């Protein structure tokens, strides 16, 4: 796009960062100790060599705070005079956008850099201070994070709400009715003797049903009114993640991987590689005027003039601190319809692009118009109500309907009736219901809640959820996020001893402070100091005063049936269980200590995991049946004769995720030569796609 006068090189992400092996932050001045990691050193040498012989160096990293910080690090690493440096940003990787960006270079925005430095330093201080404490007081390998721990608390609190919920019984009565022409519809009984009808048991419901069976049904009133409905705005990062979860079943991480591919560029034959969407990490609803004009042209050509707006529709960003210089997520060229792009995109890419295109186009289409009808019906001492809706003009609904967590009840049109008309009763239905507990968080609803509370930023949602699942604080069952026992223990520990770490208000205030730094209103070091100094003192105090048994054990009134000692509830690798207080294991190769007890038992309502025997598969070493088992690295197939026989059958755990490269095979969990775990396509070697699993426990890794 730039032509032969330019040479384009990549920094491959963060070319400089805090060291992993130590804190990397001066605890007095809070100055970060940046290093160039070993795997980035070769990129740094290449960039220094190329920059040395260039007339100018254009830093074209992403346009958010993180991108600004990367540009700042690059400027320092490549060591060229400031007069040679140019900073450029763009929302889309298209020829027009690149050309416009290079016409208007600027200097690096140090306020944005400082905001990112403050975020990075605070997250490092929290992670590398809290994680070792969790290792000592709970178990090795745990971590805490400024956003992660709040997200975990939301999931844990929701699970406790569900556990404590007591369902309440209630009944509803519906009548099937017909007008004079024989057209049928249903109406719900809403009043008895002028008061709201509330039924809490079947006997009462049957009494009302019997009384209604003998009543005469007459239309009391009929009210019709027109209403309109506007389309949802174009996508931001969080709404894209939510909608892709609801409609496409994609995880937040998967959505961002696909969006990155669409942004970076797709090969389009003779046209070369072109970015199909604007920048996908944004909280703004702004859309460029040129794109709005193009959207209208596409709407007129594809759907007709009635579906187009006379003037473009502008949406106001509700999110506090949203970066209005950014754009919403939209196609870079509205004329690239999903049908035209089908041959260039893989199936998963096409599904996400289609949704982005439809939402952007729908946001500039005419409103849908409805005729809403409300019919009230007298039946002796009772009143019934029927609601109907008829579509007068489908408008934007012709292209796109926003998804919901729960499917909306469809409202059908009512037949034509007149006030005073007698209706025929065809039947009465009494239905039992129970109030429902709040729904468990899904990835979509968690992202929505985090955004509503002002916790985190668009770039943090995907890694936060991945960390919670990867650290096994929560598990996914279907779409639901369910906390594990260790998630409860960590949340309770933090809530009791470090309430600000899991407080939504505190975390949101920290985000607001970072916004102020980005806007140049405050200096970043005092913000960090005000947080860390009292925090570090409390960590030091809790390290001395809190015992591990206070956190991981709960006393019970049970007595050990083997030795008579008290029994406690302990936290083990796989969750909570009953254990004798005298429980002990011998070291490897050593006998159990004298006087120790080996009693343990699952909690009530929990069963020991039953082995799933594989029919017809026998151990080649000892001849006993093989079974599906679970170990520290996940599920595997092993001999039922364990521990006498330690045979393990090599197998791969399927994930249910379609390979993003070939779109045919399913990703499976594999183990590499170095015993490290990774994901790979089951069609290997036909498809060589691989992706790393989360790394081994490192303090504060989640903050990175």
């Amino acid at each position: 796009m730039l032509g032969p006068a330019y040479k384009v090189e990549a920094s491959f992400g963060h070319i400089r960062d805090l060291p992993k092996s130590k804190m990397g932050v001066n605890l007095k001045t809070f100055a970060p100790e940046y290093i160039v990691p070993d795997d980035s050193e070769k990129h740094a040498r290449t960039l220094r060599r190329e920059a040395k012989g260039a007339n100018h160096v254009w830093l074209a990293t992403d346009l958010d705070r993180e991108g600004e910080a990367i540009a700042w690090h690059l400027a320092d690493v490549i060591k060229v005079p400031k007069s040679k440096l140019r900073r450029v940003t763009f929302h889309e990787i298209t020829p027009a956008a690149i050309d416009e960006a290079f016409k208007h270079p600027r200097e690096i925005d140090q306020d944005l850099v400082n905001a990112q430095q403050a975020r990075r330093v605070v997250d490092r201080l929290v992670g590398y201070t809290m994680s070792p404490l969790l290792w000592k007081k709970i178990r090795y390998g745990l971590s805490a994070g400024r956003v992660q721990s709040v997200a975990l608390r939301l999931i844990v609190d929701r699970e406790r709400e569900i556990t404590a919920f007591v369902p309440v019984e209630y009944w509803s009565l519906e009548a099937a009715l017909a007008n004079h022409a024989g057209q049928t519809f249903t109406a719900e009984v809403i009043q008895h003797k002028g008061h709201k009808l509330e039924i809490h048991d079947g006997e009462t419901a049957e009494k009302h049903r019997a009384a209604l069976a003998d009543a005469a049904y007459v239309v009391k009133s009929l009210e019709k009114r027109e209403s309109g409905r506007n389309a949802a705005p174009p996508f931001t990062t969080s709404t894209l993640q939510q909608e892709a979860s609801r409609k496409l079943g994609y995880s937040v991480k998967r959505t961002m991987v696909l969006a990155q591919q669409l942004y970076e560029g797709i090969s389009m034959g003779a046209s070369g590689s072109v970015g199909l969407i604007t920048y996908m990490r944004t909280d703004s609803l702004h859309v460029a005027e040129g794109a709005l004009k193009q959207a209208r042209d596409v709407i007129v050509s594809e759907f007709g003039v009635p579906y187009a707006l006379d003037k473009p529709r502008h949406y106001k960003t509700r999110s506090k601190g949203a970066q209005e210089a950014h754009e919403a997520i939209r196609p870079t060229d509205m004329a690239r319809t999903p049908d035209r792009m089908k041959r260039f995109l893989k199936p998963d890419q096409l599904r996400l692009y289609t949704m982005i295109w439809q939402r952007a186009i729908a946001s500039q289409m005419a409103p849908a118009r409805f005729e809403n009808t409300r019919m009230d019906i007298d039946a002796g001492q009772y009143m019934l109500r029927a609601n109907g809706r008829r579509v007068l003009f489908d408008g934007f609904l012709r292209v796109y309907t926003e998804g919901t967590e729960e499917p909306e009840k469809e409202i059908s049109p009512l037949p034509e009736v007149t006030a005073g008309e007698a209706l025929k009763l065809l039947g009465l239905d009494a239905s039992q219901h129970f109030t429902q507990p709040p729904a468990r968080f899904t990835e979509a609803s968690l992202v929505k809640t985090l955004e509503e509370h002002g916790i985190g930023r668009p770039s943090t949602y995907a890694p936060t959820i991945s960390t919670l699942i990867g650290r096994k604080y929560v598990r996914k069952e279907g779409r639901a996020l369910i906390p594990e026992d260790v998630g409860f223990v960590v949340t309770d520990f933090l809530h009791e001893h470090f309430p600000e770490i899991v407080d939504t208000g505190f975390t949101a205030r920290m985000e607001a402070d970072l916004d102020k730094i980005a806007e140049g209103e405050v200096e970043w070091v005092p913000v960090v100091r005000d947080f860390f100094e009292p925090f570090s003192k409390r960590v030091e105090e809790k390290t001395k005063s809190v015992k591990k048994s206070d956190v991981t054990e709960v006393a019970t009134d049970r007595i050990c049936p083997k030795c008579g000692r008290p029994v406690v509830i302990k936290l083990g690798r796989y969750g909570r269980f009953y254990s004798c207080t005298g429980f002990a294991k011998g070291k490897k190769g050593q006998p159990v200590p004298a006087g120790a007890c080996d009693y343990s038992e699952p909690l009530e309502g929990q069963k020991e995991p039953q082995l799933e025997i594989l029919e017809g598969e026998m151990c080649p070493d000892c001849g006993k049946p093989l079974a599906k088992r679970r170990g520290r690295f996940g599920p595997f197939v092993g001999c039922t004769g364990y521990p006498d026989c330690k045979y393990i059958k090599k197998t791969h755990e399927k994930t249910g995720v379609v390979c993003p490269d070939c779109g045919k095979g399913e990703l499976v969990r594999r183990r590499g030569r170095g015993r490290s775990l990774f994901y790979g396509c089951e069609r290997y070697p036909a498809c060589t796609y691989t992706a790393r699993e989360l790394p081994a426990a490192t303090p504060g890794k989640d903050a990175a």
Side-chain angles (χ1 to χ4, degrees):
M1 295 178 186
L2 289 169
Y6 293 82
K7 184 167 186 179
V8 181
E9 293 283 352
S11 72
F12 295 90
H14 292 269
I15 201 164
R16 194 169 68 170
D17 201 359
L18 299 175
K20 293 181 180 179
S21 58
K22 60 179 182 177
M23 178 72 76
V25 177
N26 186 310
L27 299 183
K28 293 182 179 179
T29 64
F30 299 103
E33 302 169 19
Y34 294 117
I35 64 164
V36 177
D38 292 341
D39 57 356
S40 293
E41 187 56 52
K42 63 178 181 180
H43 306 311
R45 287 196 299 269
T46 299
L47 294 173
R48 286 193 201 103
R49 182 179 66 249
E50 297 292 345
K52 190 174 182 181
N55 294 326
H56 295 101
V57 177
W58 303 77
L59 303 171
T61 51
D62 287 346
L63 63 158
D64 55 9
R65 293 175 192 166
E66 193 169 14
E68 201 73 17
I70 291 174
W72 178 71
H73 285 300
L74 281 167
D76 194 59
V77 167
I78 61 180
K79 301 185 185 305
V80 297
K82 189 176 180 182
S83 59
K84 290 177 67 172
L85 293 175
R86 306 285 189 275
R87 171 75 170 121
V88 290
T89 58
F90 36 83
H91 300 280
E92 56 190 69
I93 305 178
T94 59
I98 298 298
D99 183 58
E100 184 66 20
F102 275 71
K103 288 178 181 176
H104 302 95
R106 61 171 172 80
E107 293 187 352
I108 292 171
D109 188 330
Q110 195 60 42
D111 291 331
L112 291 180
V113 173
N114 288 339
Q116 180 63 21
Q117 285 199 104
R119 178 190 294 277
R120 188 75 184 93
V121 168
V122 167
D123 287 348
R124 172 56 65 96
L125 293 172
V126 171
Y128 274 45
T129 304
M130 283 299 306
S131 296
L133 181 62
L134 294 178
W135 295 2
K136 293 175 184 175
K137 305 306 178 185
I138 302 177
R139 74 171 183 222
Y140 179 80
L142 301 179
S143 67
R146 187 176 54 85
V147 176
Q148 166 201 320
S149 298
V150 179
L152 177 60
R153 182 189 175 182
L154 290 170
I155 296 170
V156 166
D157 286 352
R158 176 63 58 84
E159 193 67 21
R160 285 185 165 139
E161 285 182 57
I162 294 169
T163 303
F165 182 81
V166 179
V168 176
E169 179 184 6
Y170 69 98
W171 290 71
S172 64
L173 286 169
E174 277 193 344
L177 301 166
N179 66 356
H180 66 282
Q183 298 170 309
T184 61
F185 63 97
T186 60
E188 184 180 2
V189 184
I190 61 168
Q191 286 185 8
H192 179 233
K193 296 181 178 179
H195 299 286
K196 182 180 178 181
L197 180 64
E198 294 184 353
I199 307 172
H200 297 290
D201 59 79
E203 185 179 348
T204 305
E206 183 56 34
K207 288 179 181 177
H208 287 296
R209 198 181 73 81
L212 283 160
D214 298 327
Y217 292 79
V218 178
V219 177
K220 179 183 179 182
S221 63
L222 193 67
E223 180 183 323
K224 292 185 179 182
R225 61 181 180 85
E226 284 193 21
S227 65
R229 179 174 154 196
N230 286 327
F235 283 125
T236 61
T237 302
S238 70
T239 55
L240 177 66
Q241 292 169 348
Q242 293 170 49
E243 196 76 336
S245 174
R246 286 190 291 252
K247 283 195 160 187
L248 307 180
Y250 293 168
S251 68
V252 167
K253 182 177 180 181
R254 181 87 189 105
T255 299
M256 295 311 291
V257 168
L258 291 169
Q260 183 84 32
Q261 294 168 0
L262 295 173
Y263 168 71
E264 288 182 353
I266 299 295
S267 177
M268 297 177 62
S271 301
S273 180
V274 178
L276 298 186
I277 64 169
T278 54
Y279 192 53
M280 65 286 157
R281 293 187 185 94
T282 176
D283 47 15
S284 171
L285 297 178
H286 169 71
V287 174
E289 291 300 322
L292 294 176
K293 181 180 182 304
Q294 190 186 35
R296 189 183 192 283
D297 294 341
V298 171
I299 292 165
V300 170
S301 64
E302 294 284 330
F303 309 107
V305 173
Y307 287 89
L309 297 170
D310 294 332
K311 294 181 180 179
R313 182 183 289 123
H314 296 90
Y315 292 89
K316 187 175 181 181
T317 303
R318 297 175 187 172
S319 175
K320 186 180 178 183
Q323 300 177 56
E324 289 294 342
H326 293 188
E327 276 199 71
I329 303 169
R330 62 165 177 85
T332 54
D333 184 343
M334 297 289 192
R336 293 193 185 108
T337 65
D339 282 344
R340 291 170 185 155
M341 300 310 300
K342 189 181 297 183
R343 61 194 178 103
F344 302 116
L345 297 173
K346 296 173 183 176
D348 283 1
Q349 293 172 336
L350 179 62
R351 295 176 74 194
L352 189 67
Y353 179 77
T354 299
M355 197 173 72
I356 292 171
W357 183 88
Q358 289 175 339
R359 177 97 164 207
I361 287 292
S363 71
Q364 293 302 313
M365 292 179 73
R369 291 186 291 110
F370 307 94
E371 180 186 72
N372 301 293
T373 306
R374 190 178 79 177
M375 185 194 309
D376 287 346
I377 302 161
D378 275 337
Q381 296 180 331
Y382 298 88
M383 189 174 85
L384 295 80
R385 177 165 292 164
N387 291 301
R389 175 181 292 168
R390 184 165 63 91
V391 178
L392 300 176
F393 177 64
D394 55 359
F396 73 90
L397 293 175
R398 181 168 174 182
V399 174
Y400 185 81
T401 305
E402 189 175 11
T404 57
E405 284 294 316
E406 296 295 332
E408 291 184 2
K409 185 178 179 181
E410 186 177 347
I411 304 176
S412 302
L414 292 176
E416 288 297 325
V417 296
T418 56
E421 180 179 339
L423 302 172
K424 182 180 179 181
L425 177 65
L426 302 177
L428 286 163
D429 181 42
S431 302
Q432 183 186 37
H433 311 275
F434 291 92
T435 54
Q436 297 297 310
R440 287 189 172 104
F441 278 110
T442 61
E443 291 194 19
S445 59
L446 181 61
V447 166
K448 183 178 181 181
T449 302
L450 290 172
E451 186 183 41
E452 286 174 348
H453 284 88
I455 299 165
R457 280 295 180 262
S459 60
T460 64
Y461 300 137
T464 295
I465 294 172
S466 294
T467 299
L468 292 177
I469 296 171
R471 300 287 189 204
K472 295 189 169 40
Y473 286 144
V474 304
R475 68 182 187 275
K476 279 186 76 173
E477 288 189 5
R479 292 171 57 200
L481 297 173
I482 304 174
E484 300 281 16
D485 285 342
V486 67
F488 285 98
V489 173
V490 169
T491 296
D492 290 344
F493 173 75
L494 294 176
H495 185 258
E496 180 178 355
H497 301 291
F498 301 92
E500 72 277 13
I501 294 298
V502 291
D503 178 61
T504 55
F506 171 83
T507 308
R509 288 193 295 276
M510 176 63 73
E511 295 290 351
D513 287 340
L514 294 173
D515 289 338
K516 290 178 181 178
I517 296 169
E519 292 161 8
E521 296 179 13
V522 295
E523 296 293 323
W524 74 271
V525 172
V527 171
V528 175
R529 179 178 287 112
D530 289 346
F531 162 75
F532 184 68
E533 288 183 349
F535 173 72
S536 61
K537 289 178 182 177
R538 195 173 316 124
V539 170
E540 187 177 342
E541 174 200 332
K542 298 301 179 181
T543 302
K544 297 175 182 177
S545 63
V546 179
K547 295 187 294 184
K548 183 174 182 177
S549 58
D550 295 338
V551 182
T552 61
E553 296 182 10
V554 178
T556 72
D557 56 1
R558 295 176 55 151
I559 301 298
C560 177
K562 289 190 175 182
C563 68
R565 294 186 180 100
V567 170
V568 295
I569 297 175
K570 284 187 176 181
L571 176 69
R573 183 181 295 164
Y574 304 113
R576 289 188 172 112
F577 65 99
Y578 287 118
S579 172
C580 177
T581 49
F583 184 89
K585 286 184 177 180
K587 294 183 179 179
K588 192 172 184 179
Q590 299 294 321
V592 176
C597 178
D598 63 354
Y599 169 77
S600 67
E601 185 183 332
L603 298 184
E604 290 90 346
Q606 295 183 0
K607 295 181 179 179
E608 293 191 24
Q610 298 294 315
L611 296 181
E612 183 181 339
I613 306 296
L614 299 177
E615 189 175 346
E617 294 198 38
M618 312 305 288
C619 174
D621 289 354
C622 70
K624 292 183 178 178
L626 295 181
K628 291 183 179 179
R629 307 179 68 96
R630 177 171 286 276
R632 62 184 301 183
F633 298 112
F636 67 96
V637 172
C639 182
T640 52
Y642 181 86
D644 298 326
C645 178
K646 296 182 171 60
Y647 172 79
I648 293 176
K649 179 182 178 182
K650 289 186 178 179
T651 186
H652 304 304
E653 175 193 355
K654 292 196 173 186
T655 64
V657 178
V658 176
C659 174
D661 270 10
C662 68
K664 298 177 182 178
E666 186 175 331
L667 293 188
V668 295
R669 203 179 190 201
R670 301 179 183 273
R671 191 177 295 282
R673 290 179 181 176
R675 304 297 293 160
S676 60
L677 293 167
F678 67 96
Y679 292 121
C681 182
E682 65 179 352
R683 297 178 67 243
Y684 178 86
C687 176
T688 57
Y689 172 83
T690 60
R692 294 181 193 174
E693 197 181 34
L694 286 172
T698 304
K701 177 65 180 174
D702 57 290

